Amino acid sequence: AQSVTQLGSHVSVSEGALVLLRCNYSSSVPPYLFWYVQYPNQGLQLLLKYTSAATLVKGINGFEAEFKKSETSFHLTKPSAHMSDAAEYFCAVNNQGGKLIFGQGTELSVKP
Amino acid sequence: ETGVTQTPRHLVMGMTNKKSLKCEQHLGHNAMYWYKQSAKKPLELMFVYNFKEQTENNSVPSRFSPECPNSSHLFLHLHTLQPEDSALYLCASSQAAREKALGYTFGSGTRLTVV
């Protein structure tokens, strides 16, 4: 069965600093992996997805994620945090039935 | 209009009221989902519909009653709710479940408060 673990329910960075949000997955088949962002009182918006093409995936708002099979990881990064990046981020894996399995979410705070 | 639209955005209801949440998508998707998002808790999948048929009910109390009249519309009928049902209710849609690479498109949610 597929599962996702996001390490750290809350991450705080300074404006301009590197953002690193961790996601590890478990899957018995080649996974499809996703990162979503949720701003307060909004729905989830797709940031980027890995679908077995390039292992380094670029998304919106300057975010990118690298698929590392050997580490079963799909960490989300951004070189320089902006105040507007403050939100909750969800990693998800698509299971064999096509259903998305979400991680617990990581809340990102950005300090001025 | 494109995307997934949820109405109302905010709803306050008493425990004896009956209300409905509406979700509409114009993306040509064939699968629709209801999620509950409570403060400090993970996303909880409530119901899944594929081609208008309910394919998943994750032990949701009967005071929540979904309806999917067609592939574009999804409702969540609410009656005799409890204060702990207060949450953000999210609707999502996707292509048929076999299209695993496409992910979901979410609505903005309905913020429900039960008083």
Side-chain angles (χ1 to χ4, degrees), chain A residues 29-30 32 34 36 38 41-46 49 51 88 90 94-104 107, chain B residues 9 33 35 37 40-43 45 48 56 58 88 90 97-109 111:
Chain A
V29 298
Y32 293 149
F34 303 80
Y36 284 85
Q38 184 181 30
N41 290 312
Q42 294 291 321
L44 278 67
Q45 178 184 0
L46 182 65
K49 61 182 178 182
T51 58
E88 188 148 20
F90 293 90
N94 217 325
N95 75 357
Q96 292 183 338
K99 191 171 70 178
L100 277 184
I101 308 299
F102 287 92
Q104 305 251 46
E107 185 177 355
Chain B
R9 289 297 311 276
Y33 313 81
Y35 281 86
Q37 188 178 34
K40 309 299 182 187
K41 286 188 175 181
L43 283 165
L45 179 62
V48 180
E56 192 161 338
N58 283 317
L88 182 67
L90 292 166
R98 63 179 177 272
E99 301 295 336
K100 297 192 301 178
L102 299 176
Y104 295 177
T105 302
F106 282 83
S108 296
R111 172 67 64 186

Side-chain angles (χ1 to χ4, degrees), chain A residues 2 8 10 19 28 32 42 50 54 57 63 65 67 72-73 77 81 104-105 112:
Chain A
Q2 281 80 359
H10 187 253
V19 176
S28 56
Y32 293 149
Q42 294 291 321
Y50 167 75
V57 182
F63 284 93
F67 172 70
T72 60
S73 69
T77 60
Q104 305 251 46

Side-chain angles (χ1 to χ4, degrees), chain B residues 2-13:
Chain B
T2 58
V4 178
T5 303
Q6 289 188 244
T7 54
R9 289 297 311 276
H10 301 272
L11 177 62
V12 179
M13 61 185 288

Side-chain angles (χ1 to χ4, degrees), chain A residues 4-6 20-25 31-36 48-51 54-58 64-69 71-77 90-93:
Chain A
V4 167
T5 302
Q6 291 183 239
L20 171 60
L21 304 182
R22 299 177 186 274
C23 173
N24 287 89
Y25 69 91
Y32 293 149
L33 294 158
F34 303 80
W35 274 101
Y36 284 85
L48 50 79
K49 61 182 178 182
Y50 167 75
T51 58
T55 56
L56 182 63
V57 182
K58 294 188 184 299
E64 61 183 37
E66 186 172 9
F67 172 70
K68 291 188 177 180
K69 184 178 178 180
E71 299 178 7
T72 60
S73 69
F74 190 57
H75 302 330
L76 182 70
T77 60
F90 293 90
C91 183
V93 63

